[in-house]
């Protein structure tokens, strides 16, 4: 009889852990689905307008929620966050233009290379050599991307694939800048997010006002039907607002490493949504490439974690 009672206490922490994990997995899933959603409502001529609409919806909510914290920011923190916002605007532009010109599956898998690029860039900056296993994992991931972009045969990568690769590099710059700009380290995450998004929206507003940069947000909004509005609300409310608050909530209840690991499943969700809902096909080479990308990023993350635990390298910032 006593044996049946003994396991009960052990199950309680496990259940609590899963209650924390599930919302984070939901964030990874909606991020994975965001590529197909963006592709469904955006064209080359509406990219900037859609970005203005997307973030204009959520920015007022964030400002109201973080008004007191915003007023406490110093000038140095505002400048640092504003600089990060400029980089962030570049990331969103590259990602959105990229997904217009490639498949949602390719976009999600290529952007996952940020998990490989970040430790390599950090090693170059700090002059600390990464583990040999990580270098091998990086090579595996790069080989996977090459195969992934050749799903229909050995042809040149599409413009969208190259833009997504540049977006992964831009994400790496953003992560390293967040870690190295001293002023923003002491700023709370909500205020930092608001200033960054505000700076990005300002960039988009300037760009959309220039001639030849595409349709205006007002004309795009007027042309949207129920399906497009649903996609825009999904990107704004779930992929931005919901994701941010879940991350803030989860890091107080579990470790940042666990959150990072769960968010690292984003490319799996991107592939699942792109293939299952978008009807995309990879072909034999594409499937092989996807497997290599996922295996390489998982192996690279594991080798970095092991190196951090052994103290052979400095801790690297978690991928965004």
């Amino acid at each position: 009889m006593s044996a049946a009672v003994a396991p009960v206490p052990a199950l309680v922490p496990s259940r609590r852990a899963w209650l924390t994990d599930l919302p984070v997995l939901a964030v990874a899933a909606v991020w994975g689905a965001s590529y197909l959603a963006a592709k469904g409502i955006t064209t080359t001529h509406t990219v900037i307008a859609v970005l203005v609409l997307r973030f204009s919806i959520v920015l007022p909510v964030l400002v109201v929620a973080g008004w007191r914290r915003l007023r406490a920011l110093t000038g140095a923190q505002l400048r640092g966050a504003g600089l990060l916002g400029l980089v962030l605007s570049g990331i969103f532009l590259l990602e959105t233009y990229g997904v217009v010109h490639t498949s949602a599956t390719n976009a999600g898998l290529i952007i996952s290379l940020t998990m490989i690029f970040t430790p390599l860039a950090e090693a170059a900056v700090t002059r600390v050599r990464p583990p040999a296993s990580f270098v091998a994992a990086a090579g595996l991931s790069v080989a996977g991307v090459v195969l992934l972009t050749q799903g229909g045969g050995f042809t040149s990568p599409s413009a969208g694939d190259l833009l997504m690769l540049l977006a992964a590099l831009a994400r790496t710059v953003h992560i390293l800048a967040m870690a190295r700009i001293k002023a923003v380290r002491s700023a709370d995450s909500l205020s930092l997010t608001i200033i960054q998004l505000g700076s990005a929206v300002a960039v988009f507003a300037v760009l959309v006002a220039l001639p030849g940069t595409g349709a205006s947000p007002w004309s795009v909004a007027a042309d949207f039907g129920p399906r497009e509005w649903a996609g825009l609300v999904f990107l704004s409310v779930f992929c931005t607002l919901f994701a941010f608050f879940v991350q803030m909530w989860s890091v107080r209840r579990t470790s940042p490493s666990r959150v990072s690991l769960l968010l690292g499943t984003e490319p799996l969700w991107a592939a699942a949504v792109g293939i299952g809902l978008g009807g995309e096909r990879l072909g034999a080479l594409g499937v092989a490439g996807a497997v290599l990308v996922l295996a390489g990023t998982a192996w690279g993350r594991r080798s970095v974690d092991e190196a951090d635990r052994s103290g052979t390298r400095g801790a690297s910032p978690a991928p965004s």
Side-chain angles (χ1 to χ4, degrees):
M1 291 288 187
S2 60
V5 178
V8 173
L11 290 175
V12 175
S14 177
R15 287 177 180 172
R16 288 178 179 172
W18 270 109
L19 288 174
T20 304
D21 289 349
L22 286 176
V24 181
L25 278 174
V27 170
V30 297
W31 278 354
S34 68
Y35 300 102
L36 186 62
K39 190 175 181 66
I41 67 171
T42 314
T43 67
T44 302
H45 300 292
T46 63
V47 166
I48 303 175
V50 168
L51 286 172
V52 171
L53 293 171
R54 173 182 175 179
F55 295 110
S56 295
I57 290 174
V58 298
L59 195 57
V61 178
L62 291 173
V63 170
V64 170
W67 180 247
R68 290 184 179 179
R69 300 178 187 179
L70 279 172
R71 295 174 63 185
L73 291 177
T74 66
Q77 289 172 333
L78 286 170
R79 289 190 295 273
L83 178 61
L84 290 172
L86 295 180
V87 179
L88 190 64
S89 67
I91 294 171
F92 282 123
L93 286 168
L94 288 168
E95 287 184 355
T96 311
Y97 275 113
V99 78
V100 168
H101 296 290
T102 190
S103 68
T105 304
N106 275 27
L109 290 167
I110 292 173
I111 204 69
S112 70
L113 287 178
T114 304
M115 289 182 274
I116 297 295
F117 292 157
T118 301
L120 287 176
E122 186 187 27
V125 171
T126 60
R127 298 184 180 180
V128 176
R129 182 177 299 178
S133 59
F134 179 83
V135 176
L140 190 67
S141 296
V142 172
V145 167
V146 172
L147 290 178
L148 177 67
T149 58
Q150 313 304 310
F154 285 98
T155 58
S156 299
S158 71
D161 294 331
L162 295 176
L163 287 171
M164 294 308 299
L165 192 62
L166 290 174
L169 291 170
R171 277 196 185 192
T172 297
V173 171
H174 187 257
I175 293 168
L176 292 182
M178 287 187 69
R180 301 185 74 82
I181 298 177
K182 294 181 179 179
V184 302
R185 293 179 189 173
S186 56
D188 72 278
S189 55
L190 178 55
S191 299
L192 190 62
T193 299
I194 293 170
I195 299 301
Q196 286 188 83
L197 288 181
S199 300
V201 170
V203 171
F204 303 147
V206 170
L207 290 177
V208 82
L210 297 176
T213 54
S216 71
W218 329 118
S219 62
V220 170
D223 290 339
F224 271 3
R227 184 182 67 85
E228 288 79 12
W229 276 110
L232 184 66
V233 169
F234 174 76
L235 290 171
S236 299
V237 176
F238 290 94
C239 299
T240 306
L241 199 62
F242 168 74
F244 171 74
F245 283 108
V246 165
Q247 287 183 87
M248 284 188 65
W249 172 82
S250 61
V251 294
R252 290 176 171 84
R253 290 164 176 80
T254 186
S255 69
S257 297
R258 189 175 181 89
V259 172
S260 179
L261 180 64
L262 293 168
L263 292 178
T265 63
E266 177 188 345
L268 289 172
W269 295 105
V273 171
I275 295 170
L277 298 180
E280 298 175 352
R281 296 292 181 266
L282 290 177
L285 288 176
V287 170
V291 171
L292 290 181
V293 169
L294 295 173
T297 52
W299 184 16
R301 182 190 292 273
R302 190 179 305 114
S303 66
V304 169
D305 288 343
E306 289 173 353
D308 288 342
R309 284 194 295 270
S310 66
T312 57
R313 66 183 295 281
S316 61
S320 62

